[in-house]
């Protein structure tokens, strides 16, 4: 976005695009929202989208496409093999990342499945700057163990540290010294860290971490799903990157890694994904798994129309005016919430604004899933669907004990180029009302708990009658407002 000073003195993000296609939204009365939340088992994943006003659940697969992306979908080559669409996507990835080998997959977790099935052996370790739900599940499914080696600042809710996603390099060195490089399947770096507030990591930290790995012969893997936001933060927060272009920062990042995988539902603004590989031998190790689990090597389970859109989207990711709306809208939301005394993760990161449920609801113990309760309460109060990112998103240990998450967050994702500023301000207003009535919110308990990835489809119920009390307070304060 261009730097524009408003004569009024206001500091507002200014969109550098115009809206050409719209989709009608529906805002139900609070009584209907309460019924919908109960019907969904107090799990925002199970809400019907027709019952949702602003869908801030995720940025995955719900970003707005540009006119150029939609136009590109009309030239897709739907040949099963030897598709020109694949060649265009491949050429764009080589241009950006400089790796000679590419395996398509239907989305990011499919890439994680192939990586883990190929590289993870029982009893080995996969150090990460922080795990993502599916990345951890795939590693543990293969008998590996995820070790989270993030710097101390990464787990501080409020901080002045601009790169809270940085890898803890001394901890990685200690792990190598203690257990040996051969015990490490690969080192995974997430750019930036999804579960702790979309926090970025610096190019300097990437270079130092991967240099240590190279010195010990350890494979390095970049999860580039949130790379667009991280590139923006590198450019605007890191002195060594301020004179670099976005393509130059991208290539400098890619040059550090042996493997890059991504969800195009985030990077490229389409529905798909894939794995870029530097070494031919590693490529051949993984290659057979694509036709077995995904599709032929030139589409990997993706629609060719989406592949054309992804190719254009990857090119648009190199345009700072195209990738900065998300971070700037998030910064606006975080600053406005913070100014009202509402506890949020600071500094603002990528992906979305993250509300700290442990400070928002200090009276709700972690065993009663405060982030899940807050997400449910927010939907009831506003029609805004957010996502729990806390203990509910973790999985039980093999012995059935439940580890408590480092953070209890409600993520309010801001898909790129989707919401208007007035809609964001509506969400801020309803969160403010909820914070003034926070003592009314209680906890949740499971009534149906799946063993794996329970946060996707588990069902819960409120502890006590807090939902009824919250609804009554809304009507008392806001009258007949929706």
């Amino acid at each position: 976005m261009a730097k524009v000073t408003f004569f009024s003195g206001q500091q507002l993000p200014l969109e550098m695009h115009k809206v050409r296609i719209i989709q009608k939204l529906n805002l139900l009365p609070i009584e209907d929202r309460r019924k919908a939340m109960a019907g969904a088992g107090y799990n925002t994943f199970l809400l019907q989208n027709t019952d949702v006003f602003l869908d801030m659940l995720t940025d995955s697969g719900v970003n707005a496409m540009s006119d150029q992306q939609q136009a590109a979908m009309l030239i897709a080559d739907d040949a099963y093999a030897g598709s020109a669409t694949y060649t265009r996507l491949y050429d764009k990835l080589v241009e950006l990342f400089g790796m000679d080998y590419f395996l398509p997959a239907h989305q990011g977790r499919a890439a994680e499945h192939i990586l883990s099935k190929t590289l993870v052996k029982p009893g080995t370790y996969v150090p990460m700057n922080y795990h993502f739900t599916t990345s951890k599940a795939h590693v543990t499914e293969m008998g590996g163990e995820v070790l989270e080696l993030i710097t101390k600042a990464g787990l501080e809710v409020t901080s002045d540290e601009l790169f809270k996603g940085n890898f803890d390099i001394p901890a990685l060195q200690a792990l190598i010294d203690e257990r040996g490089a051969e015990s490490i399947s690969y080192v995974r770096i997430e750019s930036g860290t999804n579960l702790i507030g979309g926090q970025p990591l610096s190019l300097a930290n990437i270079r130092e971490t991967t240099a240590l790995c190279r010195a010990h012969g350890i494979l390095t893997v970049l999860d580039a799903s949130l790379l667009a936001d991280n590139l923006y933060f590198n450019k605007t927060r890191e002195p060594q990157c301020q004179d670099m272009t976005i393509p130059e920062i991208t290539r400098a990042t890619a040059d550090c890694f042996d493997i890059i995988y991504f969800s195009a539902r985030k990077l490229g603004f389409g529905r798909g994904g894939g794995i870029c590989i530097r070494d031919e031998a590693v490529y051949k190790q993984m290659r057979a798994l694509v036709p077995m689990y995904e599709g032929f090597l030139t589409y990997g389970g993706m629609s060719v129309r989406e592949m054309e859109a992804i190719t254009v989207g990857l090119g648009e990711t190199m345009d700072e005016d195209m990738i900065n709306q998300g971070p700037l809208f998030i910064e606006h939301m975080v600053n406005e919430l913070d100014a009202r005394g509402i506890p949020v993760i600071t500094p603002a990161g990528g992906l979305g604004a993250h509300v700290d449920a442990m400070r928002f609801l200090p009276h709700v113990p972690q065993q009663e899933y405060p982030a899940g309760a807050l997400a449910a309460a927010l939907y009831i109060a506003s029609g805004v669907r957010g996502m729990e990112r806390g203990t509910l998103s973790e999985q039980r240990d093999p012995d059935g004990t439940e580890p408590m998450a480092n953070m209890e967050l409600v993520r309010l994702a801001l898909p790129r180029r989707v919401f208007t500023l007035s809609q964001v301000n509506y969400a801020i207003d309803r969160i403010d009302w909820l914070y003034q009535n926070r003592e009314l919110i209680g906890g949740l308990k499971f009534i149906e708990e799946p063993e794996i990835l329970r946060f996707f489809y588990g069902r819960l119920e409120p502890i006590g009658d807090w939902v009824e009390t919250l609804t009554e307070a809304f009507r008392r304060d806001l009258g007949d407002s929706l």
Side-chain angles (χ1 to χ4, degrees):
M1 296 182 184
K3 181 176 176 57
V4 176
T5 300
F6 286 78
F7 180 64
S8 66
Q10 277 188 298
Q11 296 296 312
L12 297 173
L14 181 65
E15 298 90 336
M16 296 301 290
H17 63 268
K18 59 183 177 181
V19 177
R20 298 286 299 277
I21 297 176
I22 63 168
Q23 183 177 15
K24 188 178 185 299
L25 294 174
N26 185 34
L27 179 55
L28 300 175
I30 187 172
E31 291 79 12
D32 292 346
R33 298 197 294 265
R34 177 179 146 189
K35 291 177 185 176
M37 193 75 264
Y42 294 87
N43 182 344
T44 56
F45 273 97
L46 300 182
L47 287 166
Q48 295 298 308
N49 196 48
T50 53
D51 296 333
V52 173
F53 177 47
L54 300 179
D55 194 357
M56 297 182 175
L57 184 79
T58 183
D59 66 336
S60 179
V62 292
N63 298 289
M65 282 189 181
S66 70
D67 53 352
Q68 297 301 306
Q69 286 184 282
Q70 293 193 34
M73 296 173 82
L74 298 177
I75 64 168
D77 177 3
D78 60 2
Y80 187 89
S83 167
T85 290
Y86 169 83
T87 301
R88 284 189 281 270
L89 176 58
Y90 170 82
D91 289 345
K92 177 57 67 175
L93 288 165
V94 171
E95 173 193 329
L96 297 183
F97 298 144
M99 295 185 178
D100 290 335
Y101 303 98
F102 172 63
L103 292 171
H106 78 271
Q107 63 184 81
R109 72 195 57 179
E112 290 173 338
H113 170 233
I114 291 169
L115 280 166
S116 297
K117 198 167 182 66
T118 304
L119 301 176
V120 177
K121 302 294 185 290
T124 61
Y125 304 99
V126 180
M128 304 179 180
N129 53 336
Y130 208 76
H131 78 279
F132 183 61
T133 50
T134 55
S135 64
K136 183 175 183 178
H138 281 114
V139 169
T140 56
E141 180 73 12
M142 297 305 300
E145 181 180 348
V146 169
L147 300 176
E148 291 173 339
L149 305 184
I150 192 166
T151 57
K152 181 181 178 182
L155 299 180
E156 294 173 354
V157 178
T158 58
S159 172
D160 294 326
E161 171 58 51
L162 297 179
F163 292 102
K164 290 166 67 176
N166 277 353
F167 215 100
D168 187 337
I169 297 168
L172 178 59
Q173 181 67 71
L175 174 67
I176 294 169
D177 293 342
E178 180 183 341
R179 303 182 190 179
E182 65 280 358
S183 70
I184 299 173
S185 294
Y186 55 89
V187 167
R188 173 185 174 272
I189 291 179
E190 186 173 278
S191 174
T193 48
N194 190 312
L195 294 186
I196 58 169
Q199 296 297 311
L201 70 162
S202 68
L203 177 59
N205 182 262
I206 289 172
R207 282 173 163 162
E208 192 174 350
T209 304
T210 55
L212 176 61
C213 292
R214 278 196 303 273
H216 291 276
I218 299 169
L219 276 176
T220 54
V221 175
L222 174 68
D223 178 349
S225 301
L226 295 174
L227 179 63
D229 290 346
N230 210 91
L231 292 170
Y232 171 78
F233 291 124
N234 291 140
K235 174 72 175 175
T236 58
R237 295 182 180 179
E238 191 168 4
Q240 74 175 74
C241 294
Q242 288 176 2
D243 293 330
M244 299 170 69
T245 65
I246 298 295
E248 287 171 343
I249 301 170
T250 301
R251 177 54 71 88
T253 299
D255 285 348
C256 295
F257 290 92
D258 301 303
I259 298 169
I260 296 174
Y261 78 92
F262 62 96
S263 168
R265 297 174 71 92
K266 295 179 171 68
L267 181 69
F269 309 146
R271 290 172 178 82
I275 310 171
C276 299
I277 306 161
R278 193 173 302 283
D279 182 73
E280 183 180 15
V282 176
Y283 163 76
K284 287 182 174 178
Q285 273 184 279
M286 298 181 185
R287 180 175 58 183
L289 298 179
V290 173
M292 181 179 293
Y293 293 110
E294 296 295 307
F296 191 63
L297 292 171
T298 54
Y299 72 94
M302 284 187 278
S303 155
V304 288
R305 290 162 184 79
E306 294 280 350
M307 291 170 70
E308 291 286 2
I310 291 164
T311 301
V312 174
L314 287 167
E316 291 176 350
T317 299
M318 299 298 103
D319 180 348
E320 190 176 345
D321 280 338
M322 295 296 280
I323 64 172
N324 63 9
Q325 189 211 356
L328 289 175
F329 264 46
I330 293 163
E331 182 180 34
H332 169 78
M333 192 172 191
V334 167
N335 289 347
E336 288 295 319
L337 292 171
D338 189 46
R340 290 163 170 78
I342 297 165
V344 286
I345 295 289
T346 59
L351 202 162
H354 293 75
V355 180
D356 178 12
M358 282 201 280
R359 285 189 294 153
F360 200 112
L361 303 176
H363 57 282
V364 178
Q366 272 195 281
Q367 293 85 351
E368 295 180 7
Y369 311 119
L374 182 55
L378 176 59
Y379 170 76
I380 292 168
S382 66
V384 174
R385 173 162 63 172
M387 184 192 293
E388 187 273 356
R389 298 277 73 168
T391 298
L392 195 61
S393 291
E394 299 294 340
Q395 58 190 35
R396 291 186 184 272
D397 291 335
D399 64 2
T401 59
E402 184 171 53
M404 297 294 104
N406 290 313
M407 293 182 176
E408 295 286 340
L409 305 179
V410 174
R411 185 180 80 191
L412 300 168
L414 292 180
R416 286 78 174 168
R417 310 187 296 258
V418 170
F419 297 124
T420 66
L421 199 58
S422 67
Q423 290 169 338
V424 173
N425 286 336
Y426 165 82
I428 292 167
D429 178 81
R430 289 301 189 255
I431 296 167
D432 191 5
W433 178 85
L434 204 59
Y435 188 61
Q436 305 311 316
N437 292 274
R438 58 193 179 277
E439 74 283 353
L440 302 180
I441 304 170
L444 298 173
K445 62 181 179 181
F446 269 107
I447 56 174
E448 181 184 335
E449 183 180 356
E451 290 185 13
I452 298 174
L453 298 175
R454 62 185 183 172
F455 67 93
F456 275 135
Y457 46 94
R459 302 180 72 85
L460 303 101
E461 66 179 10
I463 298 171
D465 62 354
W466 64 263
V467 172
E468 291 83 353
T469 305
L470 188 70
T471 304
E472 291 168 2
F474 181 93
R475 282 292 174 226
R476 182 192 65 231
D477 291 349
L478 295 167
D480 61 358
S481 175
L482 293 174

